Amino acid sequence: MSLIDKINLEKCPQHIAIIMDGNGRWAKQQGEVRLFGHSSGVEAVRDVLKACVDLGVKHLTLYAFSTENWNRPKEEVDGLMNLMVETIANEVSELNENDVRLRSIGDESKLPDACKNELHRAQVATSENKSIDLILALNYSARWEIINAVRNIAKRVEEGDIVANEVNESKFEQELAMPEIPDPELLIRTSGEYRLSNFLLWQIAYAELYFTEKLWPDFTREDLFRAVLDYQNRERRFGKVSEQLTE
Ligand code: FPP
């Protein structure tokens, strides 16, 4: 029996964000190099994406490469970039078969050309798909995104488009990377680390956080269902008290 049978499909999160952590440790456990962990992590991405399609989740955001990841050994960074290029190129037809639209957030300007080009090609090829958005966070950090938004707002004030007093949450959100996408209701981090690592800090203000000891390459569709079940058993109060929620 699959845990999906226990899930209330009417009450699934619309947006799930995942910090895919533990590839390096997983590889070490297998006596392999770190890159083997990353390429095995792609299998888990495939499984989890399909599971999200089955649940009717509309947006899945994956932390694939942070602005801090450039500090890793060159061999690992190059290997990760090649893996992105290869994976994106190989998966386009499968994305289309599953009606998945590929998108990305992050500072693209520093990505290698091959990665930028493949990403653009795949985005165009999948742009009409409607079931789910797969959003890859690439050279992303929340502080980068927030500073960018602040700069844009400051520019609008300078140009007289708005006055400082009019800046509010909704105007600010318009300047973030994915203004049209609802905030994630569920954030998952694998590998037993209890950190947010500069991921979607604005958008996860009210997200439920789910941490698991599983290393990312071992994370399966059943693990995703477990996380969603856990989410469904929580009470999301948004600052209210329990009694107000049924009103
Ligand atoms: C963190 O594990 C993982 C990453 C920095 C990379 C994740 C990327 C993938 C799974 C490839 C996905 C590709 C596509 C196109 C979706 P870690 O290396 O920090 O593990 P450790 O903490 O055990 O060292």
Side-chain angles (χ1 to χ4, degrees), residues 134-150:
L134 170 62
I135 303 155
L136 297 183
L138 278 173
N139 194 24
Y140 173 86
S141 79
R143 289 185 177 180
W144 164 83
E145 182 185 27
I146 290 169
I147 288 290
N148 230 20
V150 169

Side-chain angles (χ1 to χ4, degrees), residues 188-204:
I188 298 171
R189 181 172 190 147
T190 58
S191 93
E193 305 287 353
Y194 297 82
R195 283 191 295 278
L196 298 173
S197 299
N198 215 345
F199 189 43
L200 301 177
L201 295 181
W202 175 277
Q203 295 89 338
I204 58 169

Side-chain angles (χ1 to χ4, degrees), residues 8-196:
N8 178 349
L9 295 178
E10 307 289 310
K11 290 195 173 151
C12 276
Q14 288 298 288
H15 185 174
I16 298 179
I18 307 185
I19 303 177
M20 312 179 285
D21 197 11
N23 294 348
R25 275 163 284 168
W26 185 89
K28 198 168 178 193
Q29 283 175 5
Q30 320 282 317
E32 295 280 354
V33 294
R34 295 178 57 83
L35 267 175
F36 181 69
H38 297 312
S39 54
S40 304
V42 174
E43 291 300 319
V45 170
R46 240 184 244 124
D47 257 21
V48 163
L49 176 60
K50 285 203 185 115
C52 285
V53 172
D54 293 345
L55 290 177
V57 171
K58 301 304 290 176
H59 318 276
L60 172 66
T61 303
L62 301 178
Y63 209 0
F65 194 89
S66 78
T67 51
E68 287 83 21
N69 286 151
W70 297 110
N71 298 324
R72 294 189 173 199
K74 182 173 174 350
E75 190 184 277
E76 182 174 350
V77 171
D78 291 348
L80 259 171
M81 289 298 148
N82 288 338
L83 180 66
M84 303 288 175
V85 174
E86 251 172 55
T87 308
I88 295 167
N90 290 339
E91 297 297 320
V92 170
S93 58
E94 181 115 12
L95 294 177
N96 279 332
E97 272 163 38
N98 287 289
D99 201 26
V100 180
R101 178 178 176 186
L102 184 73
R103 308 181 67 165
S104 67
I105 51 169
D107 183 0
E108 268 189 27
S109 67
K110 297 201 177 61
L111 295 175
D113 285 344
C115 190
K116 261 188 283 198
N117 294 342
E118 214 41 70
L119 200 56
H120 286 170
R121 226 194 314 266
Q123 283 177 347
V124 171
T126 62
S127 62
E128 299 296 317
N129 297 339
K130 301 260 179 317
S131 287
I132 184 169
D133 288 320
L134 170 62
I135 303 155
L136 297 183
L138 278 173
N139 194 24
Y140 173 86
S141 79
R143 289 185 177 180
W144 164 83
E145 182 185 27
I146 290 169
I147 288 290
N148 230 20
V150 169
R151 251 188 231 128
N152 290 344
I153 288 275
K155 238 183 259 162
R156 290 184 61 191
V157 171
E158 250 173 30
E159 288 163 3
D161 184 25
I162 48 171
V163 296
N165 263 344
E166 284 171 2
V167 177
N168 55 22
E169 284 189 21
S170 102
K171 287 211 170 60
F172 185 77
E173 275 166 359
Q174 287 310 307
E175 304 301 334
L176 292 173
M178 329 182 263
E180 71 291 5
I181 292 184
D183 291 344
E185 298 99 319
L186 173 62
L187 172 89
I188 298 171
R189 181 172 190 147
T190 58
S191 93
E193 305 287 353
Y194 297 82
R195 283 191 295 278
L196 298 173

